[in-house]
Amino acid sequence: MGVFKNTLIQCQQCRRKILVKPADSERGHILCTHTGCGAVNSLSASFYYDEAIVTGLPDCGQLTYLNNASVWFALRFGINIIGVGSDSTIQLPRFLHNNQCYISRQHCTLNVLFDKWTGQLRYQLQDGVVLPNAGTYQPSKNGTAVNQTKLRFTELIDVPDGGLITLGGIDTFRLSHYRFPTALLDTYRVHLQFDPDQTE
Ligand SMILES: [Zn+2]
């Protein structure tokens, strides 16, 4: 993103006007020369996406059971607690292996967030659950892995589109991200700087 002619922007720190020339734009930043400021203004990020885009979204991607594609679960925006307990947001069936279920009542937590810079959703996974009342962390009994790497205690990781989440070392789900269509995203763009200031 760049400017091809001289443009006035508002300093991100002191809010006074700065003249940006095309050469500054190529450098990716400009120093504010107003007295007592001197802030480095980034010119590389010129817009972000408004989080309002997520309101009314019917679901935010899904988890599909690898052993049976007809078993899948829709994710919601925000915290998804996944487990076999009725107190989980996504209640899984008790998958049995030699008459044993390896998934805990509240096994792992998948947080669906909006990344305003990319305009897409992020899927952050943590083994276990943070108990809301006590604020304490309770891990699952048999652990959680992403693409066969087991998560460490309280570790939080971003699961990529198509990533495999294994619960209790045996039951695996494929994560499918939801992606906002480009045409829709464009209507939620909020410009940060290169718009010439029209307020004064
Ligand atoms: Zn300034």
Side-chain angles (χ1 to χ4, degrees), residues 7-11 15-18 192-200:
T7 308
L8 276 178
I9 66 164
Q10 200 176 38
C11 173
R15 300 281 157 212
R16 284 173 286 190
K17 300 281 170 60
I18 310 173
L192 275 178
Q193 9 185 297
F194 282 134
D195 277 353
D197 196 336
Q198 292 147 351
T199 54
E200 287 161 60

Side-chain angles (χ1 to χ4, degrees), residues 42-115:
S42 166
L43 302 175
S44 50
S46 58
F47 61 87
Y48 65 92
Y49 296 98
D50 188 347
E51 185 167 342
I53 195 172
V54 303
T55 53
L57 201 63
D59 62 63
C60 296
Q62 66 179 61
L63 290 172
T64 308
Y65 192 44
L66 213 58
N67 293 342
N68 182 352
S70 68
V71 179
W72 59 272
F73 306 89
L75 297 165
R76 67 180 187 189
F77 190 71
I79 300 283
N80 295 265
I81 296 168
I82 300 161
V84 294
S86 57
D87 47 358
S88 290
T89 4
I90 293 182
Q91 190 180 0
L92 300 174
R94 291 174 51 82
F95 300 108
L96 295 179
H97 307 275
N98 294 322
N99 277 328
Q100 215 185 325
C101 174
Y102 291 83
I103 304 177
S104 299
R105 292 185 57 81
Q106 295 189 316
H107 194 101
C108 64
T109 306
L110 187 56
N111 193 5
V112 182
L113 309 156
F114 182 69
D115 184 331

